[in-house]
Amino acid sequence: MSVTAPAPAASADPPSEPVTTPGRRPRAWRAHLTMAVVALAMAGYVTHGLWADPYNHVLSDNVGDQAFFEWLMGYGYYTVTQGSDPFFTDLLNAPLGVNLAANTSITVYTVLLTPLTHLAGPQVSFVTVLTLNLAGSAFAWYLFLRRWLVRNAGAAAVAGLFCGFAPGFISHANGHLNWTAGWVAPVVLWQVLKLREEGRWLRNGIRLGVLLAIGFSIAAEGLFYTALASGIFLLVWSCAKAVRHEARAALGTVLRALGVTAVVAGVLLGYPLYMHFAGPQTFSGTGFNQRYFAEDLASYLSFPSRSLAGMFGMHKDLAPNRTEETSFFGVPMVVLMVTTFMVLRHRVTPGRRATLRAVGVVGLVFVVLSWGPRLFVNKHQYDFPLPYAALAHLPLFDSALPVRFALVVVGVFGILLALLLDELISRGIPYGSLHGALSAAVVVSLLPLFPLPVRVQHRSPEPAFIADGTWKNYVPEGGTISSLPFALNVTADGQRWQAYTMARGGRPFRIPDGYFLGPQAEGEAGRKLPGQIGATQRATDWLFLRAAWWGYVIQLNNSDRAQARADFAYWGVDAVFLTAEITGSDHQTLNRDAVLATATDLLGPPERVDDVLVWRIRRGVDPVDR
């Protein structure tokens, strides 16, 4: 639906297929190829710290999520080769298992990259997906904007690069393979806009249904936001007087196509949706606090940490963490977008004004939703309810994090930026003071947001004890082993060792705990409660976490050993081991000596095997009383 492209009468839409002229296609392909190369180069620049040494470098701002997605890559190989359930596993969180459908399982990626994961390891698969996500998002937005909104390839390219490498997506490049898949939105929107094509409702309905299934498996929350934005846009656009007759004429075709979409998506997503909402180890809502993971109003006017402005100390720590800097557009960009909307609104035809108005409403709605249930301004909470407070307990909204609604605003800003640049380049806004002021404002708005590479740090290498398969001498078929401290989001090594083992093939081992979202309680009680990060901690895993994180060592007694016996028996642990290094986050060194002292006090002297220290566990016997 076009604001600027030529269209008949009051239409806000271009023809269903672009009109070509002799010689145009080769030039278009050259522009497409150039954009693809630039986007890939930008993505490589952002992720080059990981590419420098994917096996020993880790994202210092999000060690846990990188380990989780590497684990999913390893499990993808295990799924394909062993025929396991892609939406449930008992390899984590022994003995209860993990509902992967209720987590971010990125199934399509894990299956497609199975050969790479096996040959090069989950570490390389992770950085490959991350890089292609960023590049693909910029390229997909470029194609979408070029096809539906603007004539000029340069305008579409700059806006596409803004969308793909906006502050929100750079922050999510710290470990989130789901949220960096920003290409899902323009691809789905493209197909939504094609639903009105006469005579093609069946084909378009099938295509959209398949896309929804793919999008759900990669970024379910992002797909929900895309669907919500599409619905708001179409509703607002259809109600405009100038295009109401077009909407009415297309309604029948669109409804038929949506019926096909519902059938196709329902068939493809039937089992994943069942597992997500009613499968074992599911829960209600999200495992994160929606009031905490909400956007601070001032963050829209602030600069992100990983940007040129941030490099010069112009950023503010207003996000829940460095992975959730989802707005952070800065004052120049926000002012430019408001100005752009006002300028374009007075320069377009009524039909195209309907499209612009609908885009503006989508942006406003998602800005307000991103503020969450209560308003925060510079970290000060104002205790009066916002619209999200009325939505927070509704299905789907209860599983969403308000802070991430701001990612839709990236697309809205990208559309406005493309429209403005198209007007400036094509001289729709003639040379003069307004043209010069807006051109300068574009530079001043974009330059401070130019991204910096993601931060990386060293992580402990995989021990030979795991890599060489020596662990098999200590763990029977289907048995359980754990590194110390137990695997969590802040102590993720143990989950990585399991991922690398699965990727090599053969039998894997199970581990207790792990980084995932799960219920707070077992059975029906857990289904009714919000989720939590990881398993419910028991005394023994907490004992080792305290030692690693704070160096906290206590004098153990036989009561502690009795509790440990019960915990080890519950998990079915056959052995535990300690590596030479323990990876922390944000360059933090975890306290290996405290872990060793605690393990030795609890279990006695260890056995040195290869490059680790090992303690065998006889279920129900160890640790023995002293």
Side-chain angles (χ1 to χ4, degrees), residues 301-305 307-317 328 332 448:
L301 306 177
S302 304
F303 292 113
S305 58
S307 66
L308 283 182
M311 183 174 68
F312 290 103
M314 299 169 64
H315 69 283
K316 288 186 177 181
D317 293 324
F328 289 81

Side-chain angles (χ1 to χ4, degrees), residues 348-557:
V348 298
T349 62
R352 298 167 189 175
R353 191 176 299 127
T355 300
L356 187 63
R357 183 187 302 116
V359 170
V361 170
V362 170
L364 182 61
V365 168
F366 276 81
V367 166
V368 174
L369 290 178
S370 74
W371 295 338
R374 297 291 187 274
L375 182 65
F376 281 84
V377 181
N378 283 320
K379 296 187 177 181
H380 176 75
Q381 179 178 334
Y382 293 88
D383 197 22
F384 59 87
L386 293 176
Y388 200 88
L391 303 173
H393 300 292
L394 296 179
L396 301 183
F397 285 96
D398 65 349
S399 299
L401 294 183
V403 67
R404 294 171 179 173
F405 280 90
L407 293 174
V408 174
V409 182
V410 171
V412 172
F413 279 15
I415 289 172
L416 294 176
L417 181 62
L419 295 174
L420 175 62
L421 289 171
D422 195 52
E423 288 286 306
L424 293 173
I425 294 172
S426 65
R427 301 184 188 178
I429 300 176
Y431 283 130
S433 58
L434 179 60
H435 188 287
L438 289 175
S439 299
V442 170
V443 176
V444 171
S445 299
L446 290 178
L447 189 60
L449 299 180
F450 190 84
L452 300 180
V454 291
R455 301 196 312 156
V456 298
Q457 69 177 61
H458 169 78
R459 63 177 171 182
S460 57
E462 182 184 14
F465 175 74
I466 296 294
D468 296 342
T470 310
W471 64 268
K472 296 177 183 178
N473 299 328
Y474 296 82
V475 183
E477 186 81 27
T480 303
I481 189 172
S482 180
S483 65
L484 296 177
F486 288 59
L488 294 170
N489 59 323
V490 293
T491 54
D493 286 341
Q495 195 159 344
R496 293 196 293 123
W497 309 153
Q498 188 187 51
Y500 307 159
T501 300
M502 289 189 293
R504 281 190 287 267
R507 70 178 177 95
F509 52 82
R510 299 195 301 166
I511 64 172
D513 289 9
Y515 179 35
F516 57 89
L517 292 181
Q520 297 185 39
E522 296 183 30
E524 195 61 31
R527 294 178 187 274
K528 298 177 181 179
L529 295 172
Q532 66 179 7
I533 299 174
T536 300
Q537 284 198 320
R538 302 172 74 88
T540 305
D541 49 2
W542 175 237
L543 184 71
F544 287 109
L545 177 62
R546 286 187 303 176
W549 203 252
W550 296 290
Y552 188 68
V553 180
I554 64 172
Q555 188 69 37
L556 301 176
N557 55 39

Side-chain angles (χ1 to χ4, degrees), residues 195 198 201 247-258:
L195 291 181
E198 288 288 348
W201 58 270
R248 190 180 300 113
L251 182 60
T253 301
V254 172
L255 290 178
R256 286 194 294 271
L258 287 177

Side-chain angles (χ1 to χ4, degrees), residues 129-343:
V129 173
L130 180 59
T131 304
L132 292 179
N133 267 350
L134 293 172
S137 299
F139 188 68
W141 273 110
Y142 156 78
L143 291 177
F144 175 81
L145 294 168
R146 181 84 189 275
R147 165 64 182 86
W148 292 102
L149 285 158
V150 298
R151 299 185 189 94
N152 188 274
V158 172
L161 289 170
F162 168 78
C163 290
F165 298 95
F169 290 100
I170 293 300
S171 70
H172 279 288
N174 288 300
H176 289 169
L177 297 189
N178 54 334
W179 280 111
T180 50
W183 59 265
V184 171
V187 169
V188 169
L189 291 174
W190 186 308
Q191 197 58 44
V192 167
L193 296 182
K194 290 176 71 68
L195 291 181
R196 65 181 294 183
E197 292 181 332
E198 288 288 348
R200 296 180 178 179
W201 58 270
L202 180 61
R203 184 192 68 176
N204 289 334
I206 292 173
R207 285 180 175 177
L208 183 57
V210 173
L211 283 175
L212 294 182
I214 293 172
F216 179 87
S217 81
I218 293 174
E221 193 177 348
L223 185 64
F224 167 54
Y225 295 171
T226 302
L228 183 61
S230 299
I232 294 172
F233 175 88
L234 292 175
L235 179 63
V236 175
W237 179 83
S238 300
C239 291
K241 183 178 180 180
V243 296
R244 199 174 299 159
H245 64 286
E246 293 185 46
R248 190 180 300 113
L251 182 60
T253 301
V254 172
L255 290 178
R256 286 194 294 271
L258 287 177
V260 174
T261 297
V263 172
V264 173
V267 170
L268 295 176
L269 294 176
Y271 179 64
L273 287 173
Y274 162 76
M275 288 294 293
H276 181 90
F277 292 105
Q281 290 296 103
T282 191
F283 48 89
S284 176
T286 179
F288 298 90
N289 187 325
Q290 290 184 315
R291 287 198 180 191
Y292 180 74
F293 284 91
E295 204 65 87
D296 191 304
L297 186 149
S299 67
Y300 279 91
L301 306 177
S302 304
F303 292 113
S305 58
R306 303 308 297 163
S307 66
L308 283 182
M311 183 174 68
F312 290 103
M314 299 169 64
H315 69 283
K316 288 186 177 181
D317 293 324
L318 296 174
N321 55 57
R322 288 188 173 178
T323 309
E324 301 291 349
E325 292 181 351
T326 47
S327 57
F328 289 81
F329 298 106
V331 171
M333 178 59 72
V334 172
V335 172
L336 175 65
M337 291 297 99
V338 173
T339 303
T340 297
F341 183 86
M342 301 305 297
V343 169

